[in-house]
Amino acid sequence: MKSSLAVLALVTLVTLPLAAQSGRPLIVQTNSAGDSVMLIDPATDKIVVEIPEAEVIHGAAAAPDGSRLYLSNESLSTVDIVDTKTMRITKRIPLSGHPNNIAVHKKGHRVYVAITGAQGGVDVIDTVAEQRIKTIRVLGGVHNPFITPDSRFVVAGSTGGAVATVIDTELERPVWSIHFEGGVRPVCFETNADGSTKRMFAQITNFHGFAIVDWAQKREVGRITLPELPPAQRNNEGIQGAPAHGLLIAPDGKTLWSTSKFNSAVYVYSMPDLKYLGEVKVGLVPDWLTFTPDSKKVYVANAHDNTVSVIDVAARKELTRLKVGQVPKRNITAILPPFAGTN
């Protein structure tokens, strides 16, 4: 791996159609066993930028104004900052330990990084000073930090500690927690009319479905089990203790989507009643998903196919499958400004 920041700044700009409009949504796809991050234009479903020298990136988060991308770099235990006008890595911030996923506050002044391992927790990054300012310790370390839609809380999901720890973003300390029988995997939130959190949905180690948590009551109130296939028809490769890994409510709030590694599928439920609506078959080991802001498409990262499935939400139909890098997992939707090389 090259260490020169000048080399890090090199960017592959793919000459595919991209209308350079301010505030354009792009799908940011990390490749967990690769050395690049890829940006997909949902208008064309083509890869329009590849950021190289981003090796073993776990998660990505975008600054609210679209000026930066923050990447959690497992190979160097850093947060890598990307200037989205040039698509160049401009700085690497050392972390307290080995990182997993990452989240950003809606005000943009804080980034929260999951630090895995027994002595892990959540590293808090000051984005103005561009440095780590503290580590919030969490039992068993943290796999994913998820920020509530109002940014009042960060939920630190621990696979080792089997606990979701709720951190107050103003106090920057834990305020309550909820334990499960297994590790906490992806989490998403349903909001009240005022934007506060109503329910949390959480995928749990070795459970093929998701738990339902009443936020005000601070307790689990139910579970949804995903449809089952006969054992002979299931995929048993790459499960990693997470038969369901990938959970998100569409931006319009009408549906909740969950991946199934067992069934190579995503399953759709209505909101708020969680009525089962249907299935879409995707690639092998679907691991994460993200929507376009208009809720018309969802992008599913298939870790063992090295592809991303593009799904029409209304039709519940796979439109195409894009070839990406090695072992694609985490992805996000970012609203980014025009960048170098576009016109």
Side-chain angles (χ1 to χ4, degrees):
M1 179 172 53
K2 302 177 181 67
S3 60
S4 169
L5 197 58
V7 174
L8 292 174
L10 294 176
V11 167
T12 302
L13 294 173
V14 184
T15 55
L16 293 170
L18 178 68
Q21 301 173 2
S22 179
R24 180 177 194 92
L26 293 171
I27 308 303
V28 181
Q29 180 62 63
T30 68
N31 297 297
S32 68
D35 57 4
S36 69
V37 172
M38 295 172 172
L39 274 61
I40 300 166
D41 179 9
T44 60
D45 289 329
K46 303 290 186 182
I47 297 169
V48 292
V49 168
E50 184 173 356
I51 305 171
E53 301 296 336
E55 189 169 355
V56 194
I57 300 300
H58 192 112
D65 64 1
S67 63
R68 295 172 164 187
L69 289 175
Y70 301 100
L71 310 175
S72 51
N73 186 322
E74 290 195 70
S75 68
L76 297 174
S77 293
T78 59
V79 166
D80 297 354
I81 300 176
V82 177
D83 181 329
T84 57
K85 287 186 178 179
T86 61
M87 288 299 168
R88 295 177 176 178
I89 296 173
T90 59
K91 185 165 184 175
R92 285 177 160 154
I93 302 172
L95 298 169
S96 66
H98 187 81
N100 277 183
N101 213 351
I102 189 170
V104 64
H105 195 285
K106 69 177 182 179
K107 292 181 180 179
H109 68 305
R110 293 285 188 269
V111 166
Y112 306 95
V113 189
I115 304 299
T116 190
Q119 302 303 312
V122 175
D123 275 3
V124 182
I125 306 297
D126 182 318
T127 63
V128 177
E130 295 186 343
Q131 63 182 13
R132 178 176 64 89
I133 57 172
K134 70 184 303 181
T135 299
I136 303 168
R137 296 297 178 194
V138 173
L139 177 66
V142 178
H143 181 44
N144 293 299
F146 291 94
I147 196 155
T148 57
D150 58 8
S151 281
R152 287 189 59 195
F153 303 97
V154 172
V155 176
S158 173
T159 51
V163 60
T165 301
V166 180
I167 297 167
D168 185 302
T169 57
E170 288 295 321
L171 301 174
E172 294 189 339
R173 63 174 175 81
V175 289
W176 61 275
S177 62
I178 179 169
H179 290 256
F180 299 92
E181 79 282 1
V184 179
R185 303 292 181 156
V187 164
C188 67
F189 306 97
E190 177 190 23
T191 60
N192 293 303
D194 64 358
S196 62
T197 302
K198 182 178 182 179
R199 289 188 293 183
M200 178 175 76
F201 305 96
Q203 291 171 324
I204 308 300
T205 295
N206 295 325
F207 178 61
H208 189 224
F210 54 90
I212 306 164
V213 174
D214 184 291
W215 192 261
Q217 297 181 48
K218 299 180 175 61
R219 68 181 184 91
E220 183 179 336
V221 294
R223 291 201 176 187
I224 297 292
T225 300
L226 301 182
E228 300 288 352
L229 290 177
Q233 297 178 27
R234 292 178 191 167
N235 166 58
N236 291 304
E237 299 296 324
I239 304 303
Q240 295 180 307
H245 196 286
L247 187 69
L248 201 58
I249 296 172
D252 62 13
K254 294 180 180 179
T255 53
L256 180 150
W257 293 59
S258 172
T259 68
S260 168
K261 291 184 182 180
F262 275 162
N263 299 352
S264 300
V266 288
Y267 292 100
V268 190
Y269 296 84
S270 62
M271 290 292 293
D273 57 356
L274 297 174
K275 178 182 176 182
Y276 175 68
L277 297 178
E279 171 196 68
V280 183
K281 288 293 187 182
V282 292
L284 193 61
V285 189
D287 197 272
W288 210 261
L289 69 167
T290 188
F291 290 88
T292 52
D294 60 10
S295 299
K296 291 185 177 179
K297 291 181 182 178
V298 60
Y299 291 74
V300 181
N302 304 309
H304 279 215
D305 276 355
N306 296 333
T307 64
V308 171
S309 291
V310 183
I311 296 172
D312 182 306
V313 169
R316 295 199 292 273
K317 177 183 178 182
E318 186 183 57
L319 299 173
T320 189
R321 202 173 290 182
L322 309 176
K323 190 72 175 177
V324 289
Q326 293 295 307
V327 194
K329 291 188 176 181
R330 314 298 178 256
N331 55 23
I332 62 165
T333 301
I335 308 299
L336 301 181
F339 47 81
T342 62
N343 51 54

